[in-house]
Amino acid sequence: FSPSPNCPDCVGLSEELRIVRLVMEMGYIPIAISCADETRRCWAPPRDIPRIEYALNHPLLLSGLSFHGDDGGDAGRDFDGDGGGGKNEKRGGGGERPERIFSIGASSGGALAAELVTKQISQAAIVMVMSLSDPVVKQMRKSPKPTYFAPMPRDKGTLQRVQRNVEALRRHGDENG
């Protein structure tokens, strides 16, 4: 978020603000969660995944409150992308977690986004400027989910590792691959 009296330390990077705007325009609720390591600011799945699960099960999110400043309801909103809307749409307003959760992260946050997929917390991941460890790729191969990699092309080492990740994930049906 942009700096404000409520968040003077917020940076408000233009690319992050654009992601939030696009996510909201699509009818989703963006949730930003900071890692627990306030010094290094790196994500650590054993420490941070329980915090993420707590946030996703937080009563405010599950209460069905309007996050869009509209009429306070979700009538007519297409939360599952099927072109419908209204009473059959579920995003967690009935005291349950939204059915479709997508994770996005850069660097260690990208690796965490993929970990959330392996733990069935997220249904898809966008992994930016990061490759994945072999154990994470192996877990993802067991239960494939949509994953988009966005490496920096000028970072040749990471780009090569991401290409190996993609090839390994494409071989998910090959038990020896």
Side-chain angles (χ1 to χ4, degrees), residues 137-154:
V137 171
K138 185 176 180 179
Q139 280 298 113
M140 291 179 79
R141 287 178 60 199
K142 290 179 182 178
S143 179
K145 300 278 190 287
T147 305
Y148 179 83
F149 290 90
M152 292 187 299
R154 291 171 42 184

Side-chain angles (χ1 to χ4, degrees), residues 19 100-132 136-137 140 143-151 162 165-166 169:
I19 290 169
R100 296 173 70 184
I101 297 172
F102 307 104
S103 51
I104 302 171
S107 193
S108 66
L112 184 78
E115 288 264 359
L116 294 173
V117 168
T118 69
K119 308 265 188 243
Q120 308 300 317
I121 296 168
S122 176
Q123 287 70 50
I126 297 177
V127 180
M128 298 184 285
V129 298
M130 186 67 165
S131 59
L132 303 177
V136 170
V137 171
M140 291 179 79
S143 179
K145 300 278 190 287
T147 305
Y148 179 83
F149 290 90
V162 166
N165 289 161
V166 170
L169 290 169

Side-chain angles (χ1 to χ4, degrees), residues 41-52:
R41 297 186 183 232
C42 281
W43 292 93
R47 179 183 58 228
D48 290 311
I49 287 177
R51 295 174 66 250
I52 292 167

Side-chain angles (χ1 to χ4, degrees), residues 27-42:
Y28 292 97
I29 300 169
I31 301 170
I33 303 169
S34 297
C35 64
D37 186 342
E38 293 180 19
T39 305
R40 292 183 49 226
R41 297 186 183 232
C42 281

